[in-house]
């Protein structure tokens, strides 16, 4: 598996632990940064990871900022990205099984490194279930592509 990982200045320490954990699992990583403690705008990393995911250059992405919120908002602006902020493994697992999330996000100021590892493991080990969930994810993509949702207008 090949994943992109990105972060802002608030998340260097937790990213280092997540990177080590993922590499130990045999994951190939594309690190889009930042790797400096200087203030770094989370939208840049969110965009970079989102772009790699949307272009099919990687199988998914991991994004970390202070809360996970800003960086997920940025990634979700790239068409095709479904980035979900999760602070525990249950939501992370369900974000893949039901929502077909392709980017997992969390907050360095919200959770600790051990929880972060549990979250990425739960997310990586889950598979999208399709079926009725495919219809719902399709509706999300319809909103993205058309700014309309036919099912909501009936
Ligand atoms: C940076 O101070 C902080 O705003 C950022 O890491 C993130 O929490 C934004 O959503």
């Amino acid at each position: 598996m090949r994943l992109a990982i990105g972060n802002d200045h608030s998340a260097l320490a937790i990213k280092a632990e997540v990177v080590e954990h993922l590499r130990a699992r045999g994951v190939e990583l594309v690190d889009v940064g930042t790797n400096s403690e200087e203030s770094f705008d989370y939208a840049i990393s969110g965009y970079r990871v989102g772009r790699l995911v949307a272009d099919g250059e990687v199988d998914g992405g991991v994004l970390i900022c202070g809360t996970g919120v800003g960086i997920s908002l940025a990634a979700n602006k790239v068409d095709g990205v479904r980035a979900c902020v999760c602070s525990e493994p249950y939501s992370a697992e369900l974000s893949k099984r039901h929502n077909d999330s392709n980017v997992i996000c969390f907050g360095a100021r919200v959770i600790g490194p051990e929880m972060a590892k549990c979250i990425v493991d739960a997310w990586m080990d889950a598979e999208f279930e399709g079926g009725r969930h495919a219809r719902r994810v399709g509706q999300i993509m319809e909103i993205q592509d058309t700014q309309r949702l036919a099912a909501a207008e009936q």
Side-chain angles (χ1 to χ4, degrees), residues 8-11 39-40 42 64-73 107 109:
D8 74 359
H9 53 278
S10 70
S39 183
F40 187 87
Y42 55 77
I64 323 166
C65 66
T67 58
V69 173
I71 208 159
S72 63
L73 287 170
R109 294 170 178 160

Side-chain angles (χ1 to χ4, degrees), residues 4-7 30-35 40 44-45 48-49 52 63:
I5 188 162
N7 58 286
V30 179
D31 183 355
V32 306
T34 183
N35 288 301
F40 187 87
I44 296 170
S45 300
R48 285 175 177 164
V49 167
L52 288 167
L63 285 169

